[in-house]
Amino acid sequence: MVIPETEAILKERNSKNVVLFGIEAHVCILHTALDLRERDYEVHVVADGCSSRSDSDRKMAYKRLRQAGCILTTGETLLMELLGSKDHPKFKEVQKVVLDRAPDTGLIHQS
């Protein structure tokens, strides 16, 4: 749920976009996102930054979030979108952090 203090800050800053991540995707994240959507906020949920006690609860939460009009994304994608482009002065610094922490998927061959 959106508490009055949070809503006051969003109004004060004239924010219309909110990024959510945390534990219990099917409870805390879901209900906060639904409250924000009812108030016409654009809600971005960092899927790889959320968890639930069970995989089925998390998957169902993501399905409901999409149905409510939330945007599901990843932490890396969100960071790059916030930077805007490779021309951002902090791009290389953020890219290094992302690459240093990226799991080895076998798709990038380093020489």
Side-chain angles (χ1 to χ4, degrees):
M1 291 190 294
V2 177
I3 60 173
E5 294 85 358
T6 300
E7 189 166 19
I9 291 169
L10 291 170
K11 286 182 180 180
E12 175 185 311
R13 294 181 180 179
N14 200 28
S15 298
K16 290 309 285 177
N17 293 283
V18 178
V19 175
L20 297 177
F21 56 92
I23 59 172
E24 302 299 349
H26 62 292
V27 181
C28 301
I29 300 297
L30 176 64
H31 292 285
T32 300
L34 294 175
D35 280 356
L36 288 164
R37 291 295 299 136
E38 284 179 9
R39 292 168 171 82
D40 293 325
Y41 287 95
E42 186 169 282
V43 179
H44 301 258
V45 177
V46 183
D48 59 347
C50 296
S51 66
S52 290
R53 290 187 318 115
S54 74
D55 194 43
S56 60
D57 282 336
R58 185 174 49 81
K59 287 178 181 176
M60 187 57 65
Y62 292 163
K63 184 175 182 176
R64 287 195 60 203
L65 287 161
R66 281 190 195 98
Q67 290 171 341
C70 296
I71 299 165
L72 272 71
T73 188
T74 65
E76 182 175 341
T77 299
L78 178 67
L79 285 171
M80 295 304 157
E81 287 177 2
L82 290 171
L83 290 172
S85 78
K86 66 175 181 53
D87 299 325
H88 190 283
K90 296 284 185 178
F91 177 79
K92 288 290 187 187
E93 187 177 331
V94 171
Q95 183 184 41
K96 181 174 178 8
V97 170
V98 168
L99 292 175
D100 286 349
R101 288 171 173 71
D104 182 8
T105 61
L107 298 175
I108 299 175
H109 299 285
Q110 297 179 351
S111 51

